[in-house]
Amino acid sequence: MKNSEIARVFHDMADLLELKGENIFKIRAYRRAAQVIEHLPKEMAIMLEQGEDFQKIPGVGDAIAKKSTELIKTGKLEAYESLKAEFPEGITRLLEIPGIGPKTAPLLSSELKITSAAQLEEAIQEGKVADLFRMGDKTAQNLLHKIEAMRRKDQRIPIGQALPIVEDILSSLSSLPGVKNMTSAGSLRRFRETVGDIDIMGTADNPENVINEFVAFPVVKEIIAKGPTKASVILAPGLQADLRMVEHDSFGSLLQYFTGSKQHNIALRTKYQKKGLKLSEYGITDVAHDRLEKFATEEAFYKRLGMQYLPPEIREDQGEIELSEEHAIPRLIDLRDIKGDFHAHSDWSDGNNTIEEMALAAKNEGYKYMAITDHSKGLGIAHGLTEERLKEQVREIRGLNQKFKGFRILSGMEVDIRADGSIDMPDHMLAELDCVVGAVHSSFNQSEERVTRRILKAIENPHVDIIAHPPSRLIGEREPTAVDMEAVFKAAVKYKKALEINAMPSRLDLKDIHIQRARELGVMLAIGTDSHIAAQLKLMRFGIGIARRGWCEPKHILNCLSLEKVLAFFKR
Ligand code: DGT
Ligand code: CA
Ligand code: CA
């Protein structure tokens, strides 16, 4: 059983307990466990196999650990099944719809016999819901939008979930004899934040053997199609994977074609059609001589067109074709350019590791610095630090820094930007810190005007250095706030503040198009992993992928600067 499935069970349990009117702490414990488990870097099933203790996971106590083990071992949870039996079927699905709470859901199912988003949608359109709750048309319409957003989520899988699955498949297939070039293509290779399906390709001396191995993988739930060189399978509800094998000498053109994007391919094909060349997954045909040229690598393919090689992340028909013909594609940022992390939690707030463990892990990544940014006390849920505790932490970090050579722990804090834009930590405390990260964690539904004013006020605060995940969205779960990003970018430039690219796969916030615009306007960007466990420092690669989609070079990213330059940036 996958972490996402375990998380879903605990999430549902929290909802059902809430319906029952159970103890709020119990409900929160399930909800928190669900959140943590969903974002774990490692599958719990594998942890169990390796004899690791679940109670090491933050938010996972004895009860949740036992239940997780039961789920992994039996595929079911007795407590969950009996809890579910107490309620009408489908009620947890209703509760998933944003805006439907424990008061409304039972009414919808008892009065209108609604058990799904689709039925609710129909009932709203028929005016039944507005009548039943006297909620008025506007609120009902709002609900409709939320259902649409939820549906979009259902159809696309976050890259954070898809990538590890694909990497497993790729490494298994690569180890088969005579196999070369196994790689992902499509939106996953372009590092889109969500993927519609998974495209895998490669070459092999005996492709049929590879296909047979592929469809027999335990992750494969269903085979949709299977031939000697390709196969399509279902890996999970809504997640399809296509595998395609070709001859070694045609791999470049195949990969180029199936990496897309479709818009990039169409623009390229149209352009070269006029020059008498026909581009396809098989190669390039000189139409006048009816001669097909094959390409073993993408580099060779683009070179034949007189183009500079294009990183997959920017193949979106946004001007990259022209720039590549001029050989003016910049050298995009890479994991190797990263010298540090600006967003990490320790066990002083809701993190799992000590500051020293976090620092050692960061040093192991080859970093020169890392900011410890625990929560402030305003966020009651996360054991936020009081002024006293923060002072203590600053002292502890000073002490630890004596021990490290060539590495510096920055004293930081993730402070809460309150609804009115004020910061929940007094200025004289903030002045003690190397790096203050401000973030919105509440009142997400403010009007554009209010939420924009709120964030601008935080940017104007002389002590705030970085604004974390500015629109505060959760992919597929919470829509971004209504904040006017253009205004935020301009203020960030004016006050010389950095904006965060949050590398958590569930956030990826700023997103690609924001990053492009921010970079154009000259905003400094800081990638933060938001790690709550040392292993999550590895999430940096997701931040890098999205930064590359935003055409970032090392000079655009604060994490690529030396410690001295970073400190100078924070001093402004
Ligand atoms: P997805 O799966 O919706 O996240 O997005 P992609 O980009 O992975 O799209 P997919 O899986 O439908 O197709 C993979 C690639 O194949 C796509 O990026 C470009 C190429 N491709 C698909 N359909 C067409 C087409 O009609 N024309 C051209 N030129 N290329 C196509
Ligand atoms: Ca795809
Ligand atoms: Ca596909």
Side-chain angles (χ1 to χ4, degrees), residues 185-188 195-199 242 258:
S187 50
L188 187 101
V195 303
D197 73 355
I198 288 172
D199 305 283
D242 300 331
F258 283 104

Side-chain angles (χ1 to χ4, degrees), residues 247-460:
E247 306 289 315
H248 296 302
D249 64 354
S250 301
F251 183 67
S253 14
L254 180 88
L255 180 60
Q256 193 283 329
Y257 181 88
F258 283 104
T259 294
S261 66
K262 191 170 164 184
Q263 286 71 22
H264 172 83
N265 287 352
I266 291 172
L268 203 62
R269 196 172 54 212
T270 314
K271 183 153 194 178
Y272 284 92
Q273 219 162 29
K274 294 182 190 126
K275 300 182 182 173
L277 297 178
K278 185 169 160 280
L279 312 186
S280 73
E281 64 259 54
Y282 308 108
I284 299 177
T285 310
D286 181 339
V287 178
H289 302 94
D290 195 21
R291 211 192 59 207
L292 174 73
E293 253 183 277
K294 296 176 175 179
F295 299 90
T297 66
E298 279 188 322
E299 282 81 357
F301 178 92
Y302 281 113
K303 193 163 179 218
R304 168 67 179 82
L305 301 175
M307 291 170 72
Q308 184 185 350
Y309 176 76
L310 280 167
E313 295 91 338
I314 60 170
R315 298 183 199 167
E316 298 287 349
D317 190 25
Q318 293 173 326
E320 75 279 5
I321 294 174
E322 290 66 29
L323 273 179
S324 121
E325 287 168 337
E326 296 160 15
H327 287 250
I329 297 291
R331 206 277 281 173
L332 301 183
I333 185 181
D334 203 88
L335 202 49
R336 284 164 304 183
D337 298 314
I338 296 294
K339 296 191 168 63
D341 197 330
F342 292 110
H343 195 157
H345 298 269
S346 74
D347 60 1
W348 285 63
S349 69
D350 61 346
N352 191 44
N353 292 93
T354 63
I355 296 175
E356 187 166 11
E357 286 165 351
M358 293 301 284
L360 281 171
K363 199 163 183 256
N364 267 335
E365 292 295 305
Y367 293 168
K368 301 287 184 208
Y369 49 82
M370 174 178 56
I372 292 292
T373 54
D374 279 314
H375 292 286
S376 50
K377 64 174 185 286
L379 292 168
I381 39 156
H383 307 291
L385 302 189
T386 58
E387 284 181 45
E388 269 320 302
R389 292 270 293 150
L390 180 58
K391 271 186 212 155
E392 256 177 69
Q393 193 187 56
V394 169
R395 274 197 297 275
E396 156 130 350
I397 288 176
R398 231 174 256 151
L400 280 171
N401 272 327
Q402 308 288 329
K403 285 211 238 169
F404 284 97
K405 284 219 159 51
F407 182 85
R408 168 86 171 263
I409 309 168
L410 302 172
S411 273
M413 177 166 252
E414 180 178 7
V415 293
D416 192 31
I417 305 172
R418 295 193 190 106
D420 64 357
S422 64
I423 301 294
D424 68 341
M425 190 50 81
D427 281 356
H428 70 270
M429 282 307 303
L430 300 180
E432 298 288 309
L433 302 175
D434 297 314
C435 162
V436 175
V437 179
V440 164
H441 292 110
S442 58
S443 308
F444 299 110
N445 293 326
Q446 287 180 320
S447 67
E448 175 176 335
E449 199 202 335
R450 285 197 63 194
V451 71
T452 304
R453 212 183 321 129
R454 173 183 187 183
I455 292 183
L456 293 190
K457 193 168 164 199
I459 291 178
E460 288 161 19

Side-chain angles (χ1 to χ4, degrees), residues 165-234:
I165 301 175
V166 175
E167 284 172 341
D168 278 353
I169 295 177
L170 290 177
S171 78
S172 303
L173 290 179
S174 299
S175 65
L176 297 175
V179 168
K180 271 202 257 175
N181 297 320
M182 288 308 311
T183 167
S184 63
S187 50
L188 187 101
R189 183 164 181 246
R190 301 198 314 280
F191 222 96
R192 279 197 58 181
E193 63 190 37
T194 59
V195 303
D197 73 355
I198 288 172
D199 305 283
I200 298 173
M201 35 219 60
T203 68
D205 300 335
N206 181 354
E208 198 159 1
N209 178 35
V210 179
I211 299 288
N212 287 333
E213 293 281 341
F214 173 66
V215 299
F217 280 156
V219 284
V220 170
K221 300 267 160 23
E222 190 187 330
I223 302 169
I224 301 174
K226 177 174 172 285
T229 60
K230 42 184 192 182
S232 290
V233 301
I234 298 287

Side-chain angles (χ1 to χ4, degrees), residues 129-145:
V129 176
D131 284 348
L132 180 66
F133 295 109
R134 297 196 199 88
M135 60 166 54
D137 257 338
K138 199 163 161 223
T139 319
Q141 286 306 316
N142 226 334
L143 257 183
L144 275 185
H145 289 309

